[in-house]
Amino acid sequence: MGTKRSLNDHELESSAKKTAGHWSKGLLSSMEDPELKVEEDDTTVVIKDKYPKAEVHYLILPKEDISDMSKLQKRHLPLLKNMFAIGERIMEENPNREIRLGFHAVASMSRLHMHVISQDFNSKCLKTKRHWNSFTSSYFVPASSIIAELEKNGCIKRMASKTAESLLATPLKCHKCSLEPKTMPQLKTHLMTHFKKSGCT
Ligand code: AMP
Ligand code: ZN
């Protein structure tokens, strides 16, 4: 008897695009997709995250072919600051929501991308402990820290894979209180208590 499980983002992406190259390059085609592209300027493109993990979830990407944070140099500071300013503007446009700007310490998708994500985490696409921990632990590196590190050191130090893996494997914990739910469904039910009462996400 096989165990049924839902496809993860990468499997969904690869089954949808069998002929369009490796799933890790999917952001490149999404940057050209009018359904996903929200805005662009000379140096950046903003897209909707195709598998959003919260009610507001955008990705801000450079037009320059920068694969990931390890390729960042001091000369990229104006670009990063522009990405940050766009993220801050999106935050201002959503005054009733708590929104964070940041990067996954070890990104799975190629082309550098800054997440703009609301803290409700109210989404069917948020399914696993790894998803949760990737946005609520120090695996999610604030954009301001990346800019500060680049300003100071001229490069971004890669997180050790052991550290990254242990962050993703940490037991579930609510990002708003001390509750440690046993399962994702329990966590999701609990999240409603934080966000439905005030109507603010
Ligand atoms: P990460 O590389 O870990 O920072 O996360 C990649 C993000 O890209 C995830 O939030 C996915 O939901 C999202 N994603 C995956 N494939 C696509 C795609 N083809 N277009 C837009 N977003 C995507
Ligand atoms: Zn809580």
Side-chain angles (χ1 to χ4, degrees):
M1 290 250 286
T3 329
K4 273 201 182 156
R5 67 175 178 88
S6 19
L7 296 178
N8 66 34
D9 294 349
H10 305 143
E11 290 164 338
L12 281 168
E13 185 62 12
S14 68
S15 62
K17 287 213 177 100
K18 278 221 160 66
T19 54
H22 195 260
W23 59 260
S24 66
K25 307 277 185 205
L27 297 182
L28 303 183
S29 45
S30 295
M31 287 170 77
E32 311 284 338
D33 181 345
E35 294 287 315
L36 292 175
K37 183 153 78 171
V38 177
E39 61 182 72
E40 67 182 307
D41 65 14
D42 290 350
T43 58
T44 63
V45 176
V46 182
I47 61 172
K48 291 183 210 155
D49 193 291
K50 197 165 178 179
Y51 310 103
K53 306 302 187 292
E55 289 179 8
V56 173
H57 192 181
Y58 297 108
L59 304 175
I60 308 177
L61 306 101
K63 286 185 175 173
E64 184 181 334
D65 184 13
I66 304 168
S67 57
D68 58 66
M69 289 199 295
S70 71
K71 303 292 187 309
L72 287 172
Q73 303 169 14
K74 261 207 165 126
R75 71 176 178 85
H76 294 121
L77 275 166
L79 167 70
L80 276 182
K81 286 179 180 176
N82 183 36
M83 290 164 69
F84 188 69
I86 293 167
E88 282 194 315
R89 199 207 68 231
I90 296 172
M91 288 166 74
E92 281 165 18
E93 288 166 359
N94 291 273
N96 295 325
R97 292 179 187 272
E98 183 189 348
I99 290 178
R100 292 185 76 207
L101 310 177
F103 296 86
H104 278 157
V106 183
S108 55
M109 303 293 288
S110 184
R111 182 61 61 92
L112 181 74
H113 51 278
M114 181 189 290
H115 292 266
V116 178
I117 184 160
S118 58
Q119 298 300 293
D120 52 89
F121 298 110
N122 180 23
S123 166
K124 285 190 182 133
C125 295
L126 185 100
K127 291 177 185 158
T128 66
K129 182 163 81 172
R130 290 174 77 85
H131 286 156
W132 178 255
N133 286 332
S134 78
F135 288 104
T136 59
S137 73
S138 51
Y139 192 91
F140 188 84
V141 188
S144 55
S145 306
I146 294 298
I147 291 172
E149 187 177 345
L150 199 57
E151 263 169 347
K152 187 164 174 236
N153 302 331
C155 62
I156 304 299
K157 196 164 180 262
R158 205 188 285 263
M159 182 180 275
S161 11
K162 259 195 175 169
T163 312
E165 270 311 306
S166 73
L167 286 171
L168 294 177
T170 302
L172 292 173
K173 181 178 178 316
C174 176
H175 64 324
K176 291 287 167 199
C177 73
S178 58
L179 188 90
E180 296 185 358
K182 294 247 175 324
T183 64
M184 283 303 288
Q186 279 173 16
L187 170 63
K188 294 189 130 196
T189 306
H190 170 71
L191 289 179
M192 307 286 263
T193 66
H194 286 298
F195 298 107
K196 278 280 141 87
K197 261 185 257 162
S198 63
C200 290
T201 50

